Amino acid sequence: KLIKGQGNSLLVSNLDYTTFFPWQVLEHSAVNKMTSKNLAIVFGPNLVWSKSQAGSLEAMSQINSFTLLLLENVSYLFGTR
């Protein structure tokens, strides 16, 4: 529950909620073949985006890396699911 104890509770609740579905998909990756990297590529641009760097490859790389970090550490960041 590292993030839950910090900052804006509405922001944390939204982030927790929006990472829940990709996390559920990841839990079944042996069957659906969606790895955390694949999910970061699919969900990253929808979860995190920048108006100033919309569509740039550099921005996409950073967004996907951040999303991958979130997905691989959901339990640590938001507590056990």
Side-chain angles (χ1 to χ4, degrees), residues 11-31:
L11 175 63
V12 172
S13 294
N14 278 341
L15 194 54
D16 186 18
Y17 181 78
T18 56
T19 57
F20 184 68
F21 177 71
W23 177 80
Q24 284 183 313
V25 174
L26 186 58
E27 286 292 297
H28 301 282
S29 63
V31 176

Side-chain angles (χ1 to χ4, degrees), residues 32-77:
N32 62 32
K33 308 300 184 206
M34 289 299 287
T35 64
S36 55
K37 187 172 183 178
N38 292 342
L39 288 167
I41 291 168
V42 171
F43 287 100
N46 295 300
L47 294 175
V48 183
W49 55 276
S50 168
K51 290 180 183 180
S52 63
Q53 295 183 343
S56 78
L57 292 177
E58 182 181 340
M60 286 298 157
S61 175
Q62 293 172 354
I63 289 168
N64 292 345
S65 295
F66 175 73
T67 307
L68 179 62
L69 178 75
L70 279 177
L71 292 174
E72 290 181 342
N73 295 287
V74 165
S75 293
Y76 177 73
L77 296 170

